Amino acid sequence: MSLKKFISITVVVSLVHILIHIIQVQIYSGNFFSKDFNTIAYSIYMPHGTRILFFLIYGFWSIPGMFLAHIFTGFHNDGFIALDLIMIKAILISVFCVPLASLILRNFFKGIKTTKNLFIPSYIISLTLLSSFINASLTNLLRLVTKFNYDLDRFLSEFFGYFFGDILGVIVIVFMFLILKRIFLTSIEKV
């Protein structure tokens, strides 16, 4: 891969992830919809959808862009004020949950190693479930064992919130991508 292509992938991945994160924050804050919708939107974490989507499109080449985007968006979360060890661990968990899940799944999906098209429904579903589980587990363990959050009673509710929020975010982003791709390809074929 050329340096120009690497830089362009990194820039595209970073900018789109940051944009989706900003939209997510705006929806949570009530700037787009009513307060009733915000409670529903809180359960849909769209940035995990971008992690999955860009990994499906670019594979492991999406990691640098995701890393830069997570550093940028990490400073917009309430709990993080500085780039400290806890923030770095949280970023690493977020960035590497999808590649780690993919490495695990490659042992179960033998054809994935040779195919260029990773948009196979069973693979997308498995990747989503496993990466959401990894992200929810490790993030909540990090919160539990650090000074960031000592509350053991919230562990399971936070775990399921992360898990289902990530899954719903993947459904929204990947389906939106597939629908837009189909519309775009259909409009090109008509021309």
Side-chain angles (χ1 to χ4, degrees):
M1 175 179 287
S2 69
L3 181 61
K4 184 178 178 181
K5 188 172 181 181
F6 172 75
I7 291 172
S8 65
I9 289 172
T10 302
V11 168
V12 166
V13 168
S14 295
L15 291 179
V16 172
H17 186 80
I18 290 168
L19 177 66
I20 294 295
H21 178 79
I22 291 170
I23 290 170
Q24 184 83 39
V25 169
Q26 293 302 312
I27 290 172
Y28 285 171
S29 63
N31 292 337
F32 284 142
F33 303 105
S34 70
K35 296 291 183 190
D36 295 331
F37 186 79
N38 288 350
T39 57
I40 297 167
Y42 189 71
S43 301
I44 302 171
Y45 189 67
M46 294 183 297
H48 190 69
T50 60
R51 291 180 205 143
I52 295 281
L53 179 64
F54 285 127
F55 189 81
L56 292 172
I57 295 171
Y58 298 118
F60 292 99
W61 293 105
S62 65
I63 293 173
M66 280 293 149
F67 189 72
L68 291 175
H70 278 79
I71 288 173
F72 180 81
T73 58
F75 285 108
H76 291 92
N77 289 341
D78 294 336
F80 300 120
I81 334 172
L83 191 62
D84 60 357
L85 188 58
I86 296 171
M87 183 175 176
I88 292 170
K89 288 177 184 178
I91 289 171
L92 290 175
I93 290 168
S94 298
V95 170
F96 286 101
C97 65
V98 177
L100 178 62
S102 174
L103 289 173
I104 293 168
L105 289 175
R106 286 177 187 250
N107 293 324
F108 298 105
F109 290 87
K110 300 297 181 193
I112 293 298
K113 293 178 183 175
T114 59
T115 186
K116 296 285 184 190
N117 182 14
L118 296 177
F119 286 92
I120 302 165
S122 60
Y123 181 70
I124 294 173
I125 292 167
S126 301
L127 184 65
T128 299
L129 292 174
L130 186 56
S131 65
S132 297
F133 178 80
I134 291 169
N135 188 40
S137 300
L138 294 179
T139 300
N140 283 299
L141 282 172
L142 179 67
R143 295 177 83 191
L144 184 66
V145 299
T146 61
K147 63 180 185 234
F148 187 67
N149 190 353
Y150 286 110
D151 195 1
L152 183 59
D153 296 333
R154 289 180 48 194
F155 182 81
L156 277 180
S157 62
E158 292 282 331
F159 170 83
F160 286 115
Y162 273 78
F163 183 69
F164 289 116
D166 286 355
I167 291 171
L168 293 173
V170 171
I171 291 170
V172 168
I173 295 296
V174 173
F175 277 156
M176 191 181 334
F177 171 78
L178 293 174
I179 289 168
L180 290 173
K181 182 179 173 186
R182 171 142 253 137
I183 290 170
F184 182 70
L185 289 178
T186 306
S187 65
I188 289 177
E189 290 173 0
K190 290 181 181 179
V191 175

